[in-house]
PDB file of all heavy atoms in Angstrom:
ATOM      1  N   SER A 463      19.681  56.983  -2.461  1.00 90.00           N
ATOM      2  CA  SER A 463      20.639  56.435  -3.421  1.00 90.00           C
ATOM      3  C   SER A 463      20.504  54.926  -3.524  1.00 90.00           C
ATOM      4  O   SER A 463      20.227  54.252  -2.531  1.00 90.00           O
ATOM      5  CB  SER A 463      22.050  56.750  -2.977  1.00 90.00           C
ATOM      6  OG  SER A 463      22.208  58.131  -2.983  1.00 90.00           O
ATOM      7  N   VAL A 465      22.102  51.376  -5.992  1.00 92.00           N
ATOM      8  CA  VAL A 465      23.017  50.901  -7.038  1.00 92.00           C
ATOM      9  C   VAL A 465      22.203  50.091  -8.032  1.00 92.00           C
ATOM     10  O   VAL A 465      21.379  49.262  -7.634  1.00 92.00           O
ATOM     11  CB  VAL A 465      24.119  50.005  -6.420  1.00 92.00           C
ATOM     12  CG1 VAL A 465      24.972  49.372  -7.506  1.00 92.00           C
ATOM     13  CG2 VAL A 465      24.980  50.839  -5.496  1.00 92.00           C
ATOM     14  N   VAL A 545      22.897  54.143   5.932  1.00 35.00           N
ATOM     15  CA  VAL A 545      23.402  55.454   5.490  1.00 35.00           C
ATOM     16  C   VAL A 545      23.271  55.511   3.971  1.00 35.00           C
ATOM     17  O   VAL A 545      23.412  54.501   3.306  1.00 35.00           O
ATOM     18  CB  VAL A 545      24.898  55.652   5.837  1.00 35.00           C
ATOM     19  CG1 VAL A 545      25.094  56.104   7.252  1.00 35.00           C
ATOM     20  CG2 VAL A 545      25.700  54.408   5.526  1.00 35.00           C
ATOM     21  N   PRO A 546      23.001  56.705   3.430  1.00 37.00           N
ATOM     22  CA  PRO A 546      22.945  56.789   1.974  1.00 37.00           C
ATOM     23  C   PRO A 546      24.281  56.343   1.395  1.00 37.00           C
ATOM     24  O   PRO A 546      25.329  56.551   1.995  1.00 37.00           O
ATOM     25  CB  PRO A 546      22.684  58.269   1.710  1.00 37.00           C
ATOM     26  CG  PRO A 546      22.216  58.828   2.993  1.00 37.00           C
ATOM     27  CD  PRO A 546      22.783  57.984   4.075  1.00 37.00           C
ATOM     28  N   LEU A 547      24.243  55.719   0.244  1.00 37.00           N
ATOM     29  CA  LEU A 547      25.479  55.213  -0.341  1.00 37.00           C
ATOM     30  C   LEU A 547      26.355  56.341  -0.857  1.00 37.00           C
ATOM     31  O   LEU A 547      25.871  57.322  -1.396  1.00 37.00           O
ATOM     32  CB  LEU A 547      25.139  54.293  -1.514  1.00 37.00           C
ATOM     33  CG  LEU A 547      24.434  53.013  -1.128  1.00 37.00           C
ATOM     34  CD1 LEU A 547      24.014  52.293  -2.384  1.00 37.00           C
ATOM     35  CD2 LEU A 547      25.369  52.151  -0.324  1.00 37.00           C
ATOM     36  N   SER A 548      27.661  56.156  -0.692  1.00 39.00           N
ATOM     37  CA  SER A 548      28.583  57.152  -1.224  1.00 39.00           C
ATOM     38  C   SER A 548      28.721  56.944  -2.724  1.00 39.00           C
ATOM     39  O   SER A 548      28.388  55.889  -3.247  1.00 39.00           O
ATOM     40  CB  SER A 548      29.938  56.964  -0.565  1.00 39.00           C
ATOM     41  OG  SER A 548      30.438  55.706  -0.960  1.00 39.00           O
ATOM     42  N   GLU A 549      29.266  57.959  -3.394  1.00 41.00           N
ATOM     43  CA  GLU A 549      29.513  57.845  -4.839  1.00 41.00           C
ATOM     44  C   GLU A 549      30.383  56.623  -5.118  1.00 41.00           C
ATOM     45  O   GLU A 549      30.172  55.889  -6.055  1.00 41.00           O
ATOM     46  CB  GLU A 549      30.235  59.096  -5.349  1.00 41.00           C
ATOM     47  CG  GLU A 549      29.308  60.249  -5.680  1.00 41.00           C
ATOM     48  CD  GLU A 549      28.255  59.889  -6.726  1.00 41.00           C
ATOM     49  OE1 GLU A 549      28.569  59.144  -7.660  1.00 41.00           O
ATOM     50  OE2 GLU A 549      27.112  60.358  -6.582  1.00 41.00           O
ATOM     51  N   GLU A 550      31.364  56.423  -4.234  1.00 40.00           N
ATOM     52  CA  GLU A 550      32.311  55.331  -4.447  1.00 40.00           C
ATOM     53  C   GLU A 550      31.577  53.981  -4.378  1.00 40.00           C
ATOM     54  O   GLU A 550      31.735  53.114  -5.210  1.00 40.00           O
ATOM     55  CB  GLU A 550      33.411  55.453  -3.380  1.00 40.00           C
ATOM     56  CG  GLU A 550      34.577  54.502  -3.522  1.00 40.00           C
ATOM     57  CD  GLU A 550      34.410  53.278  -2.662  1.00 40.00           C
ATOM     58  OE1 GLU A 550      33.890  53.402  -1.544  1.00 40.00           O
ATOM     59  OE2 GLU A 550      34.778  52.193  -3.132  1.00 40.00           O
ATOM     60  N   ALA A 551      30.703  53.876  -3.365  1.00 38.00           N
ATOM     61  CA  ALA A 551      29.963  52.622  -3.221  1.00 38.00           C
ATOM     62  C   ALA A 551      29.050  52.397  -4.411  1.00 38.00           C
ATOM     63  O   ALA A 551      28.829  51.280  -4.847  1.00 38.00           O
ATOM     64  CB  ALA A 551      29.141  52.650  -1.943  1.00 38.00           C
ATOM     65  N   ARG A 552      28.545  53.505  -4.939  1.00 36.00           N
ATOM     66  CA  ARG A 552      27.606  53.359  -6.044  1.00 36.00           C
ATOM     67  C   ARG A 552      28.298  52.930  -7.323  1.00 36.00           C
ATOM     68  O   ARG A 552      27.706  52.318  -8.190  1.00 36.00           O
ATOM     69  CB  ARG A 552      26.879  54.684  -6.275  1.00 36.00           C
ATOM     70  CG  ARG A 552      26.006  55.040  -5.102  1.00 36.00           C
ATOM     71  CD  ARG A 552      25.506  56.423  -5.225  1.00 36.00           C
ATOM     72  NE  ARG A 552      24.795  56.618  -6.467  1.00 36.00           N
ATOM     73  CZ  ARG A 552      24.455  57.809  -6.946  1.00 36.00           C
ATOM     74  NH1 ARG A 552      24.785  58.881  -6.294  1.00 36.00           N
ATOM     75  NH2 ARG A 552      23.803  57.897  -8.055  1.00 36.00           N
ATOM     76  N   SER A 553      29.583  53.280  -7.438  1.00 39.00           N
ATOM     77  CA  SER A 553      30.225  52.971  -8.701  1.00 39.00           C
ATOM     78  C   SER A 553      30.797  51.558  -8.743  1.00 39.00           C
ATOM     79  O   SER A 553      31.117  51.043  -9.776  1.00 39.00           O
ATOM     80  CB  SER A 553      31.332  53.982  -8.986  1.00 39.00           C
ATOM     81  OG  SER A 553      32.236  53.934  -7.912  1.00 39.00           O
ATOM     82  N   ARG A 554      30.943  50.937  -7.583  1.00 34.00           N
ATOM     83  CA  ARG A 554      31.408  49.557  -7.638  1.00 34.00           C
ATOM     84  C   ARG A 554      30.223  48.634  -7.427  1.00 34.00           C
ATOM     85  O   ARG A 554      29.144  49.080  -7.050  1.00 34.00           O
ATOM     86  CB  ARG A 554      32.476  49.294  -6.584  1.00 34.00           C
ATOM     87  CG  ARG A 554      31.936  49.352  -5.167  1.00 34.00           C
ATOM     88  CD  ARG A 554      33.022  49.104  -4.145  1.00 34.00           C
ATOM     89  NE  ARG A 554      32.851  49.922  -2.976  1.00 34.00           N
ATOM     90  CZ  ARG A 554      31.949  49.717  -2.024  1.00 34.00           C
ATOM     91  NH1 ARG A 554      31.146  48.704  -2.093  1.00 34.00           N
ATOM     92  NH2 ARG A 554      31.855  50.529  -0.999  1.00 34.00           N
TER      93      ARG A 554
END
Side-chain angles (χ1 to χ4, degrees):
S463 297
V465 173
V545 277
L547 293 173
S548 65
E549 276 302 323
E550 187 264 323
R552 294 170 56 193
S553 58
R554 68 181 143 75

